[in-house]
Amino acid sequence: GRNQLTGIQPVVEGGRELGTLWVESDLGAMYARIRLYALIVFLVIGISLPLAYLISRRLQHQLLHPILALADTTRAVSERHDYTVRAVRTGAYEFDLFTDTFNQMLGQIQQSEGKLHAQLGRLGLLQHLTRATGDRQDLPSIFQVVLGSLEEDLPIDFGCFLLHDAAAQSLTVEVIGAASREFAGSLELAEQVNVPIDANGLSRCVAGQLVYEPDVLGVPFPFPQRMAAAGLRSLVIAPLIVESQVFGVLVCARRREQAFSSGECEFLKQLSEHVALASHQARLYGALQQAYDDLRQTQHTVMQQERLRALGQMASGIAHDINNAISPVSLYTESLLEREPGLSERARGYLTTIQRAIEDVARTVARMREFYREREAQLTLERVDLNRAVRQVVELTQPRWSDLPQQRGAMVDMQTMLMEPLPDIMGAEHEIRDALTNLIFNAVDAMPAGGTLGIRT
């Protein structure tokens, strides 16, 4: 049957079958034990599955919550590029170690990003200053635009440029920033003020080194102590170097101690190099401009001399023609004065005036012939009676100030106010008469409707 197990085995000895072994066992007890074991297994499984589910749910919460929190933090950093967020500690030791490491990594990234932004900002400022200084061709404007940008964008509380005088072993204040002038009075600094080098511990900067004093209170020199007294604690001095020579320095200061970072010091060093190059170019431009102006002036002088030479040659020819024209007049006038004793005093006076006018014309013609030549360093002077010269000129110019205006219906009243006695003067009488003649002609031309013309000595 189903509850019995039967086993049959023949018994053989020496090839002879002796009999058969019959074994029969009841399996009911075994089946009952199997059913008991199966029940126990089902009970264990039935209890273990819910327990395992509950334990897995709890473990899942404990394991996944920190991971999901880290995932949310990572998502926030990735989407918003916000490195200020931090993962929250869960209390689990292993996960807290991971969270702390992750937060530390975010802090380092944030710090690096801040440095990167600061460096990019300084690079942008350096590029802006390079363009701005390239557009200027004189040192004061270059220095002023650099200081203005540093005061506004770096920023600094005080800034100035000083030029190096190697012979005097001193620095001279060239430009002070516009926003830095509030400190200038307390610092006893003004443009063109000298600052001794060795007496103020500035020899390192003049030697080409960038000097950074994080706190000037500990620097025992007058210049840094003046900074400290004015409320400026941090000081950077950057040299301006061209062709291995320091020709000036850039001074930057802030109110707080240890206020300049290493990146800002490096930026000021690079900036000083750009400013030195721009200043050198400005000096070269000034020298080239001066050379160009000198060359242009020389060319102008040469051209002017050529024009004068041409005009002189033309004047010489004209003077020759005038001499030929007035020679007969001079000869006939002199002949009449010498050989006609019957002339009236009035006629003789007219002829004398004509002769004097011819002599003045002859002298003028002589000057025309010397127009393009160098004149003597000193004229030959003679004693001149100025009153007599005035009377001669008034008589000589009478047709111009009397006859011609009357023909137009105008009247010029000539008034001479001559001091008597008047001492003689030393001069060239014919040039004095020429000058007075021109003055009278100009005065008559300025009074087309007539008027009063006075000559006073």
Side-chain angles (χ1 to χ4, degrees), residues 48-362:
S48 298
L49 286 176
L51 184 61
Y53 175 76
L54 293 176
I55 293 174
S56 65
R57 286 292 304 272
R58 183 175 182 81
L59 289 176
Q60 182 183 19
H61 178 74
Q62 291 180 351
L63 293 175
L64 293 180
H65 178 69
I67 296 175
L68 291 175
L70 287 176
D72 292 338
T73 304
T74 305
R75 188 180 302 109
V77 173
S78 175
E79 293 178 353
R80 302 197 302 267
H81 300 285
D82 183 7
Y83 296 98
T84 61
V85 298
R86 295 293 183 269
V88 181
R89 293 169 62 92
T90 61
Y93 177 73
E94 293 81 1
F95 282 104
D96 286 347
L97 287 178
F98 183 70
T99 301
D100 292 342
T101 304
F102 183 75
N103 289 337
Q104 185 178 5
M105 180 186 69
L106 288 178
Q108 293 175 351
I109 294 175
Q110 181 184 3
Q111 185 177 5
S112 300
E113 185 188 30
K115 291 182 180 179
L116 180 61
H117 280 302
Q119 187 174 5
L120 289 175
R122 289 192 290 267
L123 287 176
L125 178 58
L126 184 61
Q127 184 179 11
H128 166 72
L129 288 174
T130 302
R131 289 196 303 267
T133 54
D135 295 336
R136 287 160 174 78
Q137 302 299 338
D138 61 294
L139 287 182
S141 64
I142 291 175
F143 291 162
Q144 199 61 256
V145 72
V146 170
L147 292 174
S149 296
L150 290 178
E151 290 171 339
E152 182 177 356
D153 299 324
L154 193 57
I156 59 175
D157 298 315
F158 175 81
C160 69
F161 279 96
L162 296 89
L163 295 183
H164 178 218
D165 187 349
Q169 282 298 303
S170 66
L171 294 167
T172 303
V173 180
E174 181 69 14
V175 175
I176 298 177
S180 303
R181 298 187 183 277
E182 61 176 296
F183 294 97
S186 55
L187 289 172
E188 299 179 359
L189 288 180
E191 294 178 357
Q192 306 309 316
V193 169
N194 290 331
V195 179
I197 294 175
D198 293 333
N200 290 282
L202 300 174
S203 55
R204 284 187 300 158
C205 185
V206 174
Q209 300 180 17
L210 182 135
V211 177
Y212 173 42
E213 298 293 348
D215 191 350
V216 295
L217 284 178
V219 183
F221 290 105
F223 186 70
Q225 289 301 314
R226 275 192 283 174
M227 292 281 180
L232 300 169
R233 299 289 296 275
S234 300
L235 176 65
V236 175
I237 306 176
L240 306 179
I241 304 175
V242 172
E243 297 179 352
S244 302
Q245 297 293 325
V246 176
F247 75 92
V249 296
L250 166 63
V251 177
C252 297
R254 284 175 173 165
R255 291 184 173 92
R256 294 182 296 105
E257 67 274 10
Q258 299 181 352
F260 290 93
S261 65
S262 59
E264 289 174 330
C265 291
E266 182 63 25
F267 166 75
L268 290 175
K269 181 179 179 181
Q270 294 177 0
L271 176 62
S272 65
E273 294 174 356
H274 284 269
V275 173
L277 180 60
S279 302
H280 183 58
Q281 291 175 344
R283 289 182 171 183
L284 289 178
Y285 175 82
L288 289 175
Q289 184 65 40
Q290 183 63 41
Y292 172 74
D293 292 340
D294 293 343
L295 178 61
R296 185 172 58 181
Q297 182 63 32
T298 302
Q299 291 176 340
H300 177 74
T301 302
V302 171
M303 294 177 63
Q304 185 70 14
Q305 289 176 349
E306 288 296 321
R307 285 195 293 267
L308 289 176
R309 188 177 65 83
L311 288 174
Q313 292 176 349
M314 182 177 64
S316 179
I318 295 174
H320 179 73
D321 295 338
I322 292 176
N323 273 334
N324 292 337
I326 65 175
S327 290
V329 180
S330 176
L331 292 174
Y332 286 131
T333 302
E334 184 178 357
S335 177
L336 288 173
L337 288 174
E338 291 179 356
R339 299 179 182 180
E340 295 293 336
L343 290 175
S344 64
E345 290 297 325
R346 183 176 182 183
R348 188 171 293 275
Y350 285 161
L351 289 174
T352 302
T353 300
I354 292 172
Q355 188 179 36
R356 190 179 302 114
I358 292 173
E359 291 174 354
D360 290 344
V361 170

Side-chain angles (χ1 to χ4, degrees), residues 15 32 88 114 138 242 299 336 378 390 400 404 439 452:
V88 181
D138 61 294
V242 172
Q299 291 176 340
L336 288 173
Q378 292 183 351
V390 169
R400 184 70 175 270
L404 292 179
L439 287 174
T452 300

